[in-house]
Amino acid sequence: MDCTGQNPPLGNHTALVEFILIGFSDLPNLQGLLFGVFLILYIIILMGNSLIIMITKVDPSLQTPMYFFLGNFSLLEICYVSVTVPRLLTDLCRQYGNISFLTCAIQMYFFLVLGDTECFILTAMAYDRYVAICNPLLYPVIMNSRFCIQLVLVCWTTAIPIHIGFTSVLFTSPFCECNQLNHFFCDVPPVVQLVCGDTFMLELLTYVISSLAVAVPFMLILVSYVNIISTILKLPSATGRAKAFSTCSSHLMVVILFFGSGIIVYLRPKSSQLIGMDKYLSLFYAILIPVFNPIIYCLRNKDVMVALGKCLQKWIVL
């Protein structure tokens, strides 16, 4: 079937029952290698984030708001990658990328909800660091356990109604005869490309939601860090400045990686030069960055490393 990536006139549409995920079928000689690589990365993500969840729960020194948010973020990462990677591994193994219309919609919905939730959790973590550094005396009062739980619940639930509406609008649109998605999962850009007729309103809706869920949180995080850095630079002690920077550096690195790749895919201007590249760009925020997150938070965080050392000692003794 001819799939040019262009949107035919509205009259040339049909009722689709399934999509074909092209994935990495353009690399037939690397299917086995890709399966092994993605499987190893998935195991690293599961083990690394599970380890962070465990030590933030059992170590008394990590019973603080910062690590409460980190534990939630790690749980979110496990859910986030589990929406796409198991399906990718299955397709690579069987070399058969058919996915039903309903399954595609469900996968996109959960991917978008969990992705937006990551943006919100990262924003909450930035606010936590802002209060801790800029208002240290009020920190225990502001970031009390009740407020932290409420903040996390808001982060986990805000995107749910938004993307029920968005996925409903997208998947009730008329699709053309071409059902090939040049991607390894049901992401927004490749699905929109298969909609018949003028897709301006769908693209506008995508930009609006992406701006609210990605660009606005990113700007709030930047504002928080402008104030954080300004406060840190005013500290009289070099040791104090170094300690303050160390508590923020891990979070800031994750923010730059995650938001940077997401903005490139969802908020960049539409360009024919990048058609077909979305799936490779998506590898960064869908798989690679979740691999880096537990590594960054463990290796660059002394408290986590100390807690991890204690756990290892207990296991060795047992």
Side-chain angles (χ1 to χ4, degrees):
M1 185 178 295
D2 181 29
C3 297
T4 61
Q6 302 297 320
N7 299 102
L10 187 58
N12 188 29
H13 66 269
T14 184
L16 295 181
V17 295
E18 67 176 9
F19 291 108
I20 298 175
L21 292 170
I22 295 177
F24 300 99
S25 59
D26 54 340
L27 304 171
N29 297 327
L30 298 178
Q31 298 293 296
L33 175 63
L34 290 173
F35 176 85
V37 170
F38 290 136
L39 178 61
I40 292 171
L41 293 178
Y42 186 49
I43 292 172
I44 292 173
I45 293 169
L46 294 181
M47 293 181 62
N49 285 287
S50 297
L51 188 60
I52 290 177
I53 294 171
M54 184 192 67
I55 60 178
T56 55
K57 289 292 184 182
V58 302
D59 193 283
S61 65
L62 300 184
Q63 303 304 305
T64 64
M66 180 172 71
Y67 296 107
F68 171 70
F69 290 124
L70 179 57
N72 273 272
F73 185 72
S74 295
L75 175 61
L76 182 59
E77 287 280 73
I78 292 174
C79 298
Y80 180 68
V81 297
S82 296
V83 172
T84 58
V85 178
R87 172 79 201 196
L88 171 60
L89 293 173
T90 301
D91 289 345
L92 286 171
C93 186
R94 66 181 183 173
Q95 297 184 353
Y96 184 72
N98 289 41
I99 182 170
S100 71
F101 194 79
L102 178 60
T103 303
C104 184
I106 292 173
Q107 184 187 52
M108 179 187 290
Y109 170 75
F110 280 105
F111 181 79
L112 293 175
V113 168
L114 293 170
D116 286 359
T117 304
E118 286 211 17
C119 296
F120 301 148
I121 290 285
L122 287 170
T123 306
M125 294 170 76
Y127 178 72
D128 172 72
R129 291 300 83 206
Y130 165 77
V131 177
I133 293 173
C134 299
N135 297 285
L137 297 179
L138 295 177
Y139 182 73
V141 178
I142 297 175
M143 302 303 293
N144 58 74
S145 58
R146 181 180 178 182
F147 176 72
C148 290
I149 293 172
Q150 290 174 340
L151 191 57
V152 164
L153 287 175
V154 170
C155 292
W156 276 92
T157 58
T158 298
I160 292 175
I162 296 173
H163 288 297
I164 287 177
F166 177 73
T167 52
S168 297
V169 170
L170 177 55
F171 281 87
T172 53
S173 300
F175 286 89
C176 305
E177 293 182 359
C178 176
N179 65 343
Q180 295 181 6
L181 291 176
N182 190 13
H183 215 293
F184 61 91
F185 70 96
C186 290
D187 204 358
V188 176
V191 173
V192 170
Q193 287 177 12
L194 301 188
V195 175
C196 280
D198 187 6
T199 59
F200 173 77
M201 292 306 299
L202 279 174
E203 292 170 6
L204 178 61
L205 186 59
T206 301
Y207 277 116
V208 170
I209 294 175
S210 298
S211 296
L212 292 174
V214 179
V216 172
F218 184 61
M219 293 304 297
L220 291 174
I221 292 172
L222 287 182
V223 171
S224 297
Y225 271 101
V226 168
N227 287 280
I228 288 170
I229 293 172
S230 176
T231 301
I232 290 175
L233 294 176
K234 295 176 183 177
L235 295 176
S237 168
T239 303
R241 290 195 295 270
K243 184 177 180 180
F245 272 122
S246 68
T247 63
C248 301
S249 60
S250 300
H251 176 258
L252 189 57
M253 289 177 65
V254 172
V255 165
I256 293 171
L257 289 171
F258 183 77
F259 279 91
S261 57
I263 288 172
I264 290 173
V265 171
Y266 290 100
L267 292 177
R268 63 173 170 81
K270 190 175 181 181
S271 171
S272 59
Q273 293 179 348
L274 291 178
I275 291 177
M277 290 298 295
D278 281 345
K279 64 182 175 183
Y280 298 105
L281 293 172
S282 299
L283 284 174
F284 284 94
Y285 64 83
I287 300 177
L288 296 180
I289 293 175
V291 172
F292 296 144
N293 289 348
I295 298 173
I296 291 172
Y297 276 112
C298 287
L299 295 182
R300 296 187 60 85
N301 191 304
K302 293 181 180 179
D303 293 335
V304 173
M305 290 299 293
V306 170
L308 181 59
K310 292 178 182 177
C311 289
L312 291 175
Q313 287 180 351
K314 291 179 180 179
W315 292 339
I316 292 173
V317 171
L318 293 174

